Structure formats: C-alpha cells, structure tokens
Amino acid sequence: ALTNTTQVLTGTGPYTVSWSTVGGAVSPTTGNNTTLTGSGTVTMTITYGSCITSITKIITVPGTNVSIVAPNSACLYDVNVFTTNPAPSNFASFSWNFGDATTSSVAPTSHAYNSPGTYIINLSVVNYQGCVATAKDTIVINPLPVSVLTISDSFICSGSTAVLTATAGMTNYTWFKDGVQFATGPSNTQTINSFGIYTVEVTNANGCKKLSNKMPLIILPLPKYKINFPNGTIACVNATLGDALTATAT
C-alpha cells in the first residue's frame, strides 16, 4: 500500500463548502479542507445563500502498487534475480531486505543464500512523485543433495570392468570422465573399463545439483610369460618330457 497518497484541497469562506468524488474517497465531505485518498474526480460545491457554484478537478495519484518478481524457490548458493512489477524504471529508489541480514538498493538485483530455509523478502520503493510503495514475498531455499561416488575396484586388469556407484535416490545422474560427459540418466551405477578420473553430478527432486568427489580408475597390463622346455622346443608325439615345464615372466 502507498503512503503520501493524499492531496489537500482548500476552499474559501464564509461560504458553505461541500465535497464529492467519483473514484477515491474524500473526508470530511464539508468544510474548507478535505483529504482525497486514492485517485478520483473531485467536485467542490460552494453555496452562498441561493447562489451555488462548483469546481471539478481530476486528481490522479500515480504509482499506487508494486510487487516483487522473483522465483518461489531456489537451490542453495544459486544466484537469484529480483526485480519489480511495474518495471524498475517507474521508481526513483529501492530498498531490499532479503531476510538474511543482506540488503540492496538497486533493481534488478541479484542475491544468493548461504543457508537453506524460508526467507521473507521486503521491498520499499519511492516513485518519481514521492509516493512510497511496499511489497513482501517469500522464497524457499532448498539444500543441495548428498553426492558421494564409490568404485568397486580402482585397479583392474586390462579387459576387466569396474562399477561406479553414486548416492541413491536422486532423479538424475550425469557422468563425467576427465571432465567430459559420457552418460546421463536415472541409474546411479555405471560400468567402466578405461583409465581416467570419474565424477558424477546428481540432481534431486527439487532440481538442485551437486558434483561428487573424484574417483580414479587404473588399468593394469596383463602379465607376459615364457614357457621353458627341458629338452628344447622339439619333442615326439606322445613323448614324455624328462623334466617339468617351467615358466618365467618376460
């Protein structure tokens, strides 16, 4: 609601003066002075004996309302934009209070919250006619999800696989290898078989996202062996080798 929305109208005596309006309200309706609240067409009627005359004036009080344009909810640490309706160009000054001991004096303005919860935003504006308008709104700040990534084995042999497992219960998982996305979807597991550093970004039901810890996968080469024959590399079919075969790594 606006304050300073009245205009004082003055008649002259010793006449009898009465006031009426179409739109707005006047009080009192008689006397040399009255107060108009709101906008309207005001008629001042002056009576002196049998003589009656009247004067009509249209009075408009501009900029009677303001509202806050902002998201109803957001995620922790998100940068949110706050502006006004009507547009900020209709006002000369702004005073914001975001409900967390922070303020601003411009519009549009931006603000990020550092703790989850419900905050009441208060705004006071002054238009170019000196009228003051106030507005109030509420924003809910949702916490970030828990995002923990584990792996079945960080060291695997070439040709084997490992399984990545992210925190369960999220609506979406976006998977990265060395910072490059390679999969996304509702599953909280991924089977992998290539060397790299893996992470996952999880999204909860409120749309809030968080990137996990890093998880490396190391690929170990398969060992190579040489078989040693006791009597050289040639033997007859069904022949019995005199000594046991031996193998050595190469």
Side-chain angles (χ1 to χ4, degrees), residues 84-192:
T84 64
N85 183 29
S89 58
N90 291 277
F91 304 103
S93 65
F94 310 85
S95 178
W96 298 88
N97 187 315
F98 296 108
D100 63 347
T102 58
T103 60
S104 177
S105 59
V106 298
T109 188
S110 59
H111 180 61
Y113 289 90
N114 295 321
S115 297
T118 300
Y119 296 89
I120 297 175
I121 308 158
N122 286 284
L123 170 65
S124 177
V125 298
V126 179
N127 66 15
Y128 290 99
Q129 291 74 37
C131 302
V132 179
T134 60
K136 182 181 293 186
D137 202 357
T138 300
I139 186 171
V140 177
I141 303 300
N142 296 303
L144 299 182
V146 175
S147 183
V148 177
L149 182 63
T150 60
I151 191 169
S152 59
D153 193 344
S154 291
F155 298 87
I156 62 172
C157 295
S158 178
S160 298
T161 60
V163 177
L164 294 169
T165 303
T167 304
M170 304 299 165
T171 59
N172 192 72
Y173 300 83
T174 302
W175 302 88
F176 300 89
K177 174 180 174 286
D178 298 326
V180 179
Q181 179 182 328
F182 68 91
T184 187
S187 175
N188 74 316
T189 63
Q190 281 289 319
T191 300
I192 57 175

Side-chain angles (χ1 to χ4, degrees), residues 8-24:
V8 177
L9 309 178
T10 303
T12 58
Y15 313 106
T16 300
V17 181
S18 62
W19 304 88
S20 63
T21 182
V22 177

Side-chain angles (χ1 to χ4, degrees), residues 67-94:
S67 61
I68 297 172
V69 180
N72 295 323
S73 63
C75 299
L76 190 65
Y77 308 125
D78 280 357
V79 177
N80 307 291
V81 176
F82 300 84
T83 188
T84 64
N85 183 29
S89 58
N90 291 277
F91 304 103
S93 65
F94 310 85

Side-chain angles (χ1 to χ4, degrees), residues 228-232 241-246:
N228 301 310
F229 289 88
N231 296 316
L241 298 177
D243 299 313
L245 297 176
T246 60

Side-chain angles (χ1 to χ4, degrees), residues 155-161 193-195 217-223:
F155 298 87
I156 62 172
C157 295
S158 178
S160 298
T161 60
N193 61 2
S194 60
F195 170 83
L217 178 65
I218 308 299
I219 307 299
L220 302 175
L222 294 176

